[in-house]
Amino acid sequence: GLCTEIPEGLEAYRVIKWEEILKLSRSGTVEDFVDPKCAAAKELRTCPITLKKLELAVAEKSSLELSLNKTQGELLKLERLFNSTQEDLVETKNDLERTERNLNDTRSDLENTREELETTEQELKNVTESKCPLVKGNLTKWDIFYTPPYYNKTFTRSLYQQLRTTWDEVSSRLFGVTMSDPLIKLIKSCGDLP
């Protein structure tokens, strides 16, 4: 009929062709007529194609939604990692600042200690070069009076007895002993005279 499409293989058997009827002259009022049944039939013929396209579009939409959800999940993980890294960075910067302050304090302490050491070394050098009579090579028999029991103290009969007793005890034990650096150091390490 009017709405049926003719397959190409049957085209040769069509006797009356609608296209030819439309080309004929007409008389009277002629309006184009579209049978609603034909429109529905045409839609039905294109419907499977449209339905396939719709199914493909829905499948693609679902796939895109899954991909979007996965990407959003990964984005949230990266955002948490980024925030955690920023917190770690702030903490590391604070640690670095504390370490730098400690380092500066330590440098200052080291410089102060160096200055004190240089001062002490200079004082020691001055004492050993000229001022200290107890330095090896400058000793006399009177240097005992530079030791703590006698130095800057009034010499009394008690100190005299102590000196005599101590010297007698020590000197009697030294007979026959060679006076060497190790022996002198040992005697000095024994402490103050009693």
Side-chain angles (χ1 to χ4, degrees), residues 47-191:
C47 189
I49 296 170
T50 305
L51 187 58
K52 276 280 190 214
K53 287 181 181 177
L54 182 60
E55 287 173 354
L56 289 172
V58 168
E60 187 176 350
K61 178 183 177 260
S62 295
S63 174
L64 289 173
E65 284 176 344
L66 287 173
S67 178
L68 176 64
N69 288 339
K70 183 180 176 184
T71 303
Q72 285 176 334
E74 290 172 356
L75 181 62
L76 287 174
K77 286 179 188 175
L78 288 174
E79 188 176 353
R80 284 193 294 268
L81 179 63
F82 177 72
N83 290 337
S84 171
T85 303
Q86 279 187 319
E87 291 169 3
D88 291 347
L89 180 62
V90 167
E91 189 176 321
T92 302
K93 283 182 179 178
N94 291 338
D95 288 346
L96 179 62
E97 288 174 3
R98 278 192 297 275
T99 303
E100 285 177 341
R101 283 193 300 270
N102 288 340
L103 179 60
N104 288 336
D105 291 346
T106 303
R107 283 181 179 152
S108 177
D109 291 347
L110 177 62
E111 187 58 36
N112 290 340
T113 303
R114 273 193 192 133
E115 290 172 4
E116 288 176 16
L117 178 62
E118 288 173 5
T119 302
T120 303
E121 285 176 341
Q122 187 58 44
E123 289 174 0
L124 181 60
K125 184 178 177 186
N126 290 342
V127 166
T128 57
E129 283 180 356
S130 61
K131 297 179 183 175
C132 182
L134 296 177
V135 174
K136 181 182 169 192
N138 293 333
L139 290 176
T140 68
K141 60 184 174 185
W142 303 109
D143 289 334
I144 188 108
F145 294 115
Y146 283 110
T147 62
Y150 304 100
Y151 191 69
N152 280 332
K153 295 192 177 145
T154 305
F155 191 73
T156 62
R157 196 170 285 285
S158 170
L159 284 178
Y160 167 74
Q161 284 300 331
Q162 180 181 350
L163 177 63
R164 186 167 190 195
T165 304
T166 303
W167 180 247
D168 287 342
E169 286 177 17
V170 171
S171 62
S172 66
R173 291 184 189 157
L174 294 176
F175 285 115
V177 176
T178 302
M179 293 291 151
S180 62
D181 281 337
L183 178 63
I184 295 169
K185 287 179 183 176
L186 176 66
I187 293 170
K188 283 185 174 184
S189 71
C190 290

Side-chain angles (χ1 to χ4, degrees), residues 11-27:
E11 189 68 34
Y13 299 102
R14 280 183 28 188
V15 179
I16 298 175
K17 297 182 181 176
W18 183 250
E19 296 85 23
E20 292 176 359
I21 292 173
L22 289 176
K23 291 179 185 174
L24 295 175
S25 62
R26 301 180 204 170
S27 61

